[in-house]
Amino acid sequence: MTDGTTVGRASRQPLVAGIAAALAVLTLVAVGVLWLTSDRSEGATGTGTPKDTSAEAGFARDMSVHHQQAVEMSFIVRDRTSDEEVRRLAFDIASTQATQAGMLQGWLDMWGLDKTSEDPPMTWMKNASADGMDGMDHGSMKGMDGGAAYKPHDGSLMPGMATNTQLDELRKAKGKAAEILYLKLMTAHHRGGVGMAEGAVELVKDPTERHLAQTMVQGQQSEIQLMADMLKARGASS
């Protein structure tokens, strides 16, 4: 007999793929409009096109990877619980971060830059720390130093990213246990993402990308508070 859950997941795959493809097309169109109509006077180079080693390129690459894990965790938990509140949050996070990752990848395409780099993650923050950051407030510098010093381990490449072991635990958890683990992992993920985005706000010269980074900071800080309330309601804390 065929497992009902397996059939259900298999039947959703074409739909998910179709939605992802449609979002990708719409995102690229939006990226083009935003980038072409924005003020290029503060571009990373004289021509307004960021260099391969720029903070613009580094943040776009790293945050795309960071976002992809958030999308993955959100899809995992939607299959591990029937709780509508958690499933709705997971859908919102997956939709938002998939769209933002698409924008970042679209900018790399338009800049003529590779989507990946041989440099280790967070190199763009390390370069900024080495060059000095005149005019930046002490709080921002402290957060960026933490990101630059992060040591990848067990699949966790950047601040806040879950390890492979933690992802395996989420895949095995069910019901309330899955909800609590997801909320804890996503809270840590958001905190790491906020630190990276705050670094981008300080370092990125491209006004459109800097605006997106600021949007990430505000949105994820709001979701951190929401997840704290959801954890409390489940007798847990972050």
Side-chain angles (χ1 to χ4, degrees), residues 214-230:
Q214 185 60 55
T215 299
M216 291 177 185
V217 172
Q218 295 168 344
Q220 293 190 33
Q221 285 178 336
S222 176
E223 287 175 342
I224 287 172
Q225 182 57 56
L226 172 61
M227 289 188 287
D229 294 339
M230 292 172 69

Side-chain angles (χ1 to χ4, degrees), residues 117-164:
S117 172
E118 294 182 358
D119 292 332
M122 311 303 292
T123 297
W124 58 282
M125 276 193 172
K126 295 176 184 177
N127 290 342
S129 297
D131 293 341
M133 297 165 283
D134 294 337
M136 290 180 57
D137 64 79
H138 180 73
S140 297
M141 291 178 65
K142 182 178 180 180
M144 289 173 58
D145 287 343
Y150 189 78
K151 303 296 183 183
H153 61 286
D154 190 20
S156 177
L157 303 177
M158 286 167 271
M161 289 186 69
T163 64
N164 291 330

Side-chain angles (χ1 to χ4, degrees), residues 11-203:
S11 65
R12 287 200 302 270
Q13 289 177 353
L15 176 60
V16 171
I19 293 173
L23 281 173
V25 172
L26 292 173
T27 296
L28 286 175
V29 172
V31 167
V33 172
L34 284 171
W35 194 78
L36 290 173
T37 58
S38 64
D39 179 6
R40 315 308 308 160
S41 61
E42 297 184 37
T45 70
T47 62
T49 302
K51 297 179 180 179
D52 189 66
T53 57
S54 66
E56 284 82 358
F59 175 69
R61 291 174 180 133
D62 284 353
M63 190 56 84
S64 292
V65 174
H66 204 272
H67 273 17
Q68 286 165 11
Q69 190 187 68
V71 173
E72 179 185 5
M73 289 195 295
S74 296
F75 275 113
I76 291 173
V77 79
R78 281 177 62 83
D79 281 335
R80 307 308 297 168
T81 180
S82 59
D83 184 90
E84 286 304 316
E85 183 182 31
V86 172
R87 287 171 57 83
R88 183 167 53 250
L89 172 66
F91 178 80
D92 289 345
I93 290 175
S95 300
T96 298
Q97 298 212 11
T99 300
Q100 291 175 345
M103 294 177 71
L104 295 167
Q105 295 281 300
W107 282 324
L108 289 168
D109 273 338
M110 285 191 296
W111 296 332
L113 302 177
D114 291 336
K115 292 186 175 68
T116 59
S117 172
E118 294 182 358
D119 292 332
M122 311 303 292
T123 297
W124 58 282
M125 276 193 172
K126 295 176 184 177
N127 290 342
S129 297
D131 293 341
M133 297 165 283
D134 294 337
M136 290 180 57
D137 64 79
H138 180 73
S140 297
M141 291 178 65
K142 182 178 180 180
M144 289 173 58
D145 287 343
Y150 189 78
K151 303 296 183 183
H153 61 286
D154 190 20
S156 177
L157 303 177
M158 286 167 271
M161 289 186 69
T163 64
N164 291 330
T165 300
Q166 290 171 325
L167 290 178
D168 286 340
E169 291 174 355
L170 182 61
R171 292 186 184 98
K172 295 174 183 176
K174 294 181 180 180
K176 184 178 178 180
E179 296 162 21
I180 291 174
L181 181 56
Y182 170 76
L183 292 170
K184 287 185 175 183
L185 292 178
M186 192 58 73
T187 295
H189 198 275
H190 272 21
R191 286 172 177 161
V194 166
M196 291 170 63
E198 287 177 335
V201 171
E202 296 290 347
L203 297 173

